[in-house]
Amino acid sequence: VAVLLLGGVLGWQAYDGHRQRQAAAAAALYAAYLQPPAGHSAEALATRLRTEYPRSSYATFAAFGEAKRAVEADKLDAAEQHLRWVVDNAAEPADRTLGRVRLARLLLDQGKPQAAQSVLDGETATGSSALAELRGDIARAQGQAPQARLAYQEALAGLPAESGTAALIRLKLDAVGQP
């Protein structure tokens, strides 16, 4: 029993040490991604993060950063690939949800409401005003005013009445009209 216990403790310590070294290496690589050293590109460092440490939050952060850069450079296909990577690989459920919302928004902005809807299908995050608003925007783009109205009302329910976002959603609600 003592040998098994000692083996278990030593095994756990080795595993924990490995995890800590992996986390430190991912953090260092992410720091380099944020301020690439001479001769290195942020894109290459982000690719290394996704390849070498795919389950780390740093890889997810880098993928979000690369998606943002791609949108700013009007490379929407690349942005879509980065966001799909987040949806498929992020370790944290909240990051996957955020990736779905951003991907659906990107697709909707490209005039692909059906594709945007399919990204959100099965997304169960409740209480998210941003998600409800996006569902309303998709329904509106598909000409489904009653569904858009319900989604916008759900979005409003989760926001303080005096917020700027609530005012914007009220404008969208007015645009779909009354039943």
Side-chain angles (χ1 to χ4, degrees):
V1 171
V3 170
L4 287 175
L5 184 60
L6 180 61
V9 168
L10 292 176
W12 177 254
Q13 287 178 343
Y15 172 71
D16 192 45
H18 172 73
R19 275 191 20 224
Q20 288 179 4
R21 285 188 300 280
Q22 290 287 95
L29 191 53
Y30 184 69
Y33 163 76
L34 292 175
Q35 294 186 340
H40 294 89
S41 72
E43 184 177 352
L45 293 169
T47 300
R48 275 189 59 202
L49 269 167
R50 287 192 312 270
T51 303
E52 296 175 20
Y53 309 101
R55 299 295 290 170
S56 76
S57 292
Y58 297 111
T60 301
F61 300 156
F64 278 133
E66 288 303 293
K68 180 182 180 206
R69 287 179 198 235
V71 167
E72 289 170 349
D74 202 30
K75 296 178 179 177
L76 302 182
D77 289 339
E80 181 179 342
Q81 289 176 349
H82 293 300
L83 293 171
R84 285 193 188 278
W85 185 91
V86 170
V87 169
D88 294 338
N89 296 288
E92 296 296 324
D95 291 337
R96 288 192 304 272
T97 297
L98 180 58
R100 281 189 199 331
V101 168
R102 289 183 180 179
L103 177 57
R105 176 62 62 194
L106 176 71
L107 292 169
L108 182 62
D109 290 347
Q110 289 178 309
K112 303 174 185 176
Q114 189 59 41
Q117 181 62 50
S118 69
V119 167
L120 295 183
D121 285 346
E123 181 58 54
T124 58
T126 57
S128 168
S129 293
L131 185 57
E133 178 186 6
L134 180 54
R135 288 186 192 280
D137 292 345
I138 292 169
R140 184 172 173 211
Q142 293 175 323
Q144 301 169 344
Q147 291 88 341
R149 191 175 307 103
L150 289 173
Y152 290 146
Q153 289 168 343
E154 179 185 340
L156 277 174
L159 293 171
E162 67 279 352
S163 76
T165 303
L168 177 63
I169 294 172
R170 280 193 294 275
L171 287 173
K172 291 178 179 184
L173 192 54
D174 289 343
V176 295
Q178 295 301 319

